[in-house]
Amino acid sequence: MNENPQNQLKEIRSMMERSTRFMSLSGWTGIMAGIYSLLGAVAAYYVVYKMKFDEMVVPSNLETYGNGRPQHYDYPNGLIDLFSEKNILLFGIAAAVIFLSGTTAFYHSSIKAKKQGVQLWNSTSKRLFVQVAIPLIAGGIFCLALLVYGHAGLIAPAMLIFYGMALLNGSKYTLKEFHSLALCEIGLGLISLFFIGYGLYFWAIGFGVLHIIYGILMQKRYN
């Protein structure tokens, strides 16, 4: 250890931080997750706005928002078909984005943890996982209920808000920049509540653009 008292304090502080925070996140994880999300948004846009809805029975009391696009279907029986062609495609796109983002995060975090000489799956990463998973699972169920009852226009804002809450919940166990990203996601989700017809655009900004910006900043700051 360095004999300079100030350097000793810095090293002690750094060791304490590494013992209580998960420091193996890579900026490339954010960048790639943002790219996957933007590609997913493009694919979802095609599915939502370009596909023909031949199999859908749209009632006369269809509501539209802002740009005139139908975002909320008030079905007579109160439910919609979760396994329609459109929904299956959207679920597939979401699953692909989540799988690719998770795989990329695991790959880059494994490399960084190995360079740092620490275990990837330790008590800190376990706490981080639990704290992030709880709001994400709750948000996923909430969004599924919105879809079932036809409130499709509220899904994008809800996803952004719950995702931001998940990041905020886990920010005390990882990089401090998580806190800023969490507030941006929550704020963007709240704003999008007043622009329901444009939810997909806000989704692309929140999960795509913000992740890329965050990843670039992290890559420059920590690598």
Side-chain angles (χ1 to χ4, degrees), residues 125-142:
S125 60
K126 290 177 183 178
R127 287 195 294 268
L128 172 63
F129 177 81
V130 171
Q131 294 299 315
V132 171
I134 293 173
L136 287 181
I137 294 173
I141 296 173
F142 182 78

Side-chain angles (χ1 to χ4, degrees), residues 17-118:
E17 187 176 54
R18 286 197 298 268
S19 65
T20 58
R21 290 178 178 269
F22 183 72
M23 308 297 290
S24 299
L25 290 174
S26 169
W28 279 109
T29 297
I31 294 172
M32 295 307 299
I35 293 174
Y36 298 146
S37 297
L38 289 177
L39 293 175
V42 172
Y45 182 91
Y46 175 82
V47 171
V48 173
Y49 297 127
K50 301 299 183 182
M51 282 185 62
K52 295 181 179 179
F53 301 106
D54 294 336
E55 298 180 359
M56 295 185 63
V57 179
V58 181
S60 59
N61 58 343
L62 170 67
E63 299 180 21
T64 59
Y65 297 92
N67 56 5
R69 290 171 175 162
Q71 295 295 325
H72 175 149
Y73 295 98
D74 185 14
Y75 284 81
N77 60 358
L79 298 173
I80 67 172
D81 181 12
L82 283 179
F83 301 102
S84 66
E85 180 184 1
K86 185 188 75 166
N87 286 334
I88 290 175
L89 289 173
L90 291 176
F91 289 147
I93 293 170
V97 171
I98 293 172
F99 174 78
L100 290 173
S101 299
T103 302
T104 302
F106 178 80
Y107 173 75
H108 286 290
S109 295
S110 298
I111 293 176
K112 193 167 184 179
K114 189 174 295 184
K115 289 181 179 179
Q116 294 171 336
V118 297

Side-chain angles (χ1 to χ4, degrees), residues 180-196:
S180 300
L181 178 61
L183 295 180
C184 289
E185 297 285 358
I186 293 173
L188 189 65
L190 293 174
I191 293 173
S192 67
L193 285 171
F194 299 94
F195 299 91
I196 297 297

